[in-house]
Amino acid sequence: MVAKVISGPEVAEQIKQELRVKVAELRERGITPGLAVVLVGEDPASQQYVRNKGKACEELGLYSRTVLLPSDTTEEKLLSVVDELNADPRVHGFLVQLPLPKHIDENKVLVRIDPAKDADGFHPMNVGRMLIGDPLFLPATPHGIQELLVRSGNDPDGRHVVIVGRSNIVGKPVAAILMQKKKGANATVTVCHSRTRDLAALTRMGDIVIAAIGSPRFITADMIGPGAVVIDVGTNRVDDPSAKKGYRWVGDVDFEAVKEKASAITPVPGGVGPMTIVMLMKNTVIAACRANGLVY
Ligand code: BQF
């Protein structure tokens, strides 16, 4: 079998169209949804992600602010920036780009964010609400994966989804979302990780396999059952002197080999990444609606 390649940008564009309608309605009422992104330090991949978020805001007519702080910023200073954004009425949602430098306690920063402005959905209150199925904001990458599955004709309902990776950003929340008793979910979920024994035996049982490991081409064709749907969340920047920028993006899946065995597969780039960005935009629009007593 040769897999259908699921286009992230194509599905993201559908959602952008829906957002444009909402943004136009808000702007008629004099409301411009606003997103702020805080970046501490100069990590090149993080810088690119932050630029992607600013560009997406611009494209949809959202107000966007980027706060750039040096890598030696104190935790106290970062917390004061969070306090300012919590209080700023132009900013309906914001996020602090992760990972943070080691001298800053990530959890201390996340609990300081007003849960009503928590565009990434990483505040512990929002994590809890997601888990019980009453979310304020769903985290962008896991929610983007769900939308990508449903809108590409691969509704997880009743299917066995095998997730490889247990991070707070992807593995754990995508498990929670896909196992909810809800439309576009109702999956049977297995979460595997670096300590899983006979990983390949488990991934081969997946109707849907979600790779969120952070290791280039970790998932090989022998780990995938015939006809499975494979979602590659990996964004590994690997040096490539032959590339224009000196690097290229490689997923967690051996795309060329797995494509011959799966029924559908997401590429990197052009798969989950654009979905992450558009779901962040959606969270910003939702936040702006709520701040004005409107339902999304
Ligand atoms: C594409 C991210 C790991 C750790 C922290 C489009 C993005 C990536 C790829 C992007 C990511 C990954 C983001 C593509 C944001 C996704 O065309 O394939 C967009 O900007 N992402 C992030 O903010 O933090 C991360 C991955």
Side-chain angles (χ1 to χ4, degrees), residues 28-244:
E28 270 174 40
R29 296 168 181 262
I31 303 158
T32 302
L35 176 73
V37 175
V38 182
L39 174 61
V40 184
E42 285 94 44
D43 175 67
S46 294
Q47 287 174 328
Q48 176 160 2
Y49 300 149
V50 169
R51 277 197 304 274
N52 291 344
K53 293 168 190 181
K55 268 190 282 176
C57 283
E58 203 178 307
E59 202 189 320
L60 291 173
L62 307 193
Y63 169 69
S64 147
R65 188 188 311 160
T66 306
V67 181
L68 300 174
L69 300 170
S71 57
D72 63 355
T73 300
T74 62
E75 186 178 273
E76 194 187 7
K77 166 67 184 168
L78 178 58
L79 291 172
S80 77
V81 169
V82 168
D83 289 340
E84 280 166 31
L85 294 171
N86 282 339
D88 188 333
R90 290 208 63 181
V91 174
H92 300 102
F94 69 97
L95 64 94
V96 177
Q97 185 68 34
L98 302 181
L100 285 167
K102 282 190 295 291
H103 66 277
I104 299 176
D105 182 345
E106 189 175 295
N107 289 330
K108 223 165 149 180
V109 175
L110 293 177
V111 293
R112 191 76 157 242
I113 296 171
D114 177 353
K117 290 193 174 193
D118 179 27
D120 262 343
F122 292 165
H123 186 289
M125 191 197 87
N126 285 324
V127 177
R129 291 189 65 148
M130 167 187 64
L131 199 64
I132 65 171
D134 180 30
L136 274 189
F137 300 104
L138 289 173
T141 301
H143 194 204
I145 291 168
Q146 182 185 32
E147 287 293 329
L148 196 55
L149 284 169
V150 171
R151 292 178 190 244
S152 66
N154 298 290
D155 195 313
D157 201 306
R159 307 258 191 106
H160 183 199
V161 176
V162 177
I163 299 161
V164 191
R166 53 174 155 177
S167 71
N168 290 337
I169 301 186
V170 183
K172 281 187 218 166
V174 80
I177 289 168
L178 295 183
M179 72 175 155
Q180 289 295 342
K181 192 168 183 171
K182 279 191 181 170
K183 207 154 56 67
N186 292 311
T188 301
V189 175
T190 299
V191 182
C192 309
H193 48 76
S194 52
R195 302 289 290 264
T196 297
R197 230 175 258 188
D198 201 359
L199 174 64
L202 289 165
T203 54
R204 275 196 291 268
M205 292 175 67
D207 301 313
I208 297 169
V209 176
I210 299 176
I213 306 133
S215 182
R217 297 198 186 89
F218 183 91
I219 302 290
T220 47
D222 60 296
M223 299 170 78
I224 298 299
V229 174
V230 179
I231 304 295
D232 189 349
V233 194
T235 43
N236 308 287
R237 238 173 96 132
V238 269
D239 291 330
D240 180 357
S242 74
K244 272 179 298 217

